């Protein structure tokens, strides 16, 4: 059976970097492109990093049932996973990955309990703060908001099947790749 892996973890833990490195190593793994109401950051391409949509369009996607899950993230913008692309890729036997927030992961789990749920943790909370500040893409208020979300999210790691500690990137990529490509759920959690 084709595997769907749902990856979540606190902000700035390096999920984006991890997923990019995984796709470079293994382009056969499909990554869902989310819809979002936030504006593109410099360098972000519509349809590649996100589907950037208006608030109205996002509401229409919800009404039509186009989204497998959606959530308001960091109390600001809405993000959601287009359902059709996930179903098509799984039906075609393509190993698939969702990189979404915790609320979204919980919704997908309710709909697809057979997927594998993976939580990415920082080596320490201090390191998470360093990564968040170092990224420099958010202003002070936004950074504070995201840190608060991160603290709450860290407590949810026990809901997941597997925890990957994102310390050494290569090691973390190898762990994630094995999980996406390996059939069946590992037994017990933290496998
Ligand atoms: P950013 O704005 O930094 O690209 O993403 C902010 C957060 O939105 C990240 O934690 C990311 O996991 C989450 N996110 C991205 N796409 C989705 C989605 O489709 N659904 C949900 N629930 N969260 C998403």
């Amino acid at each position: 059976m084709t595997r769907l892996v749902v990856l979540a973890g606190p902000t700035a833990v390096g999920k984006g970097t991890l997923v990019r490195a995984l796709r470079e190593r293994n382009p056969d793994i499909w990554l869902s492109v989310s819809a979002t109401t936030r504006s593109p950051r410099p360098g972000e391409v519509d349809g590649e990093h996100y589907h950037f949509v208006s608030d109205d369009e996002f509401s229409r996607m919800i009404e039509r049932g186009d989204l497998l899950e959606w959530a308001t993230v960091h109390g600001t913008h809405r993000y959601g996973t287009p359902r059709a692309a996930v179903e098509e890729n799984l039906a075609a036997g393509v190993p698939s990955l969702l990189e979404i927030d915790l609320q979204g992961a919980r919704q997908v789990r309710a709909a697809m309990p057979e997927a594998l749920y993976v939580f990415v943790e920082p080596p320490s909370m201090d390191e998470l703060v360093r990564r968040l500040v170092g990224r420099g893409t958010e202003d002070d208020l936004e950074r504070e908001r995201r840190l608060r979300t991160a603290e709450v999210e860290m407590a949810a790691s026990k809901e997941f099947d597997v925890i990957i500690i994102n310390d050494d990137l290569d090691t973390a990529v190898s762990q994630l790749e094995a999980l996406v490509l390996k059939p069946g759920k590992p037994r017990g959690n933290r496998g």
Side-chain angles (χ1 to χ4, degrees):
M1 207 180 79
T2 310
R3 160 155 289 185
L4 175 66
V5 169
V6 179
L7 191 72
T11 185
V13 75
K15 283 169 293 174
T17 309
L18 185 57
V19 168
R20 261 197 309 279
L22 173 67
R23 303 267 330 287
E24 268 168 31
R25 190 188 290 194
N26 193 333
D28 295 339
I29 295 170
W30 176 74
L31 174 69
S32 163
V33 179
S34 300
T36 182
T37 59
R38 86 151 161 74
S39 311
R41 296 190 185 121
E44 284 183 333
V45 178
D46 186 39
E48 186 180 318
H49 298 92
Y50 282 104
H51 300 288
F52 295 100
V53 301
S54 67
D55 233 37
D56 284 351
E57 177 57 20
F58 199 95
S59 298
R60 277 196 293 275
M61 291 173 94
I62 296 171
E63 280 162 26
R64 286 195 302 252
D66 289 351
L67 299 177
L68 178 60
E69 60 74 34
W70 68 272
T72 301
V73 180
H74 305 302
T76 46
H77 296 292
R78 291 186 291 175
Y79 296 77
T81 304
R83 180 194 304 277
V86 175
E87 290 174 352
E88 283 161 19
N89 276 281
L90 290 178
V94 181
S96 301
L97 187 62
L98 307 185
E99 192 260 279
I100 59 180
D101 90 319
L102 179 63
Q103 311 164 72
R106 285 174 174 150
Q107 290 173 49
V108 179
R109 194 175 49 199
M112 305 173 93
E114 69 285 4
L116 184 75
Y117 294 84
V118 178
F119 194 83
V120 185
E121 273 188 356
S124 68
M125 216 51 204
D126 282 353
E127 177 58 25
L128 187 68
V129 173
R130 260 195 299 279
R131 290 178 191 181
L132 190 57
V133 172
R135 190 159 74 174
T137 47
E138 290 86 21
D139 60 25
D140 286 354
L141 190 69
E142 181 61 17
R143 205 154 52 213
E144 228 171 83
R145 200 182 283 141
R146 285 178 179 229
L147 248 185
R148 269 201 304 277
T149 309
E151 279 165 3
V152 174
E153 288 196 339
M154 283 292 286
S157 65
K158 53 188 173 297
E159 297 171 27
F160 285 72
D161 298 312
V162 182
I163 293 173
I164 290 179
I165 296 175
N166 192 14
D167 191 356
D168 175 64
L169 182 64
D170 272 349
T171 307
V173 171
S174 296
Q175 287 172 345
L176 181 59
E177 184 181 32
L179 291 168
V180 178
L181 298 181
K182 188 170 65 181
K185 274 210 190 210
R187 251 172 269 158
N189 62 3
R190 317 201 171 198

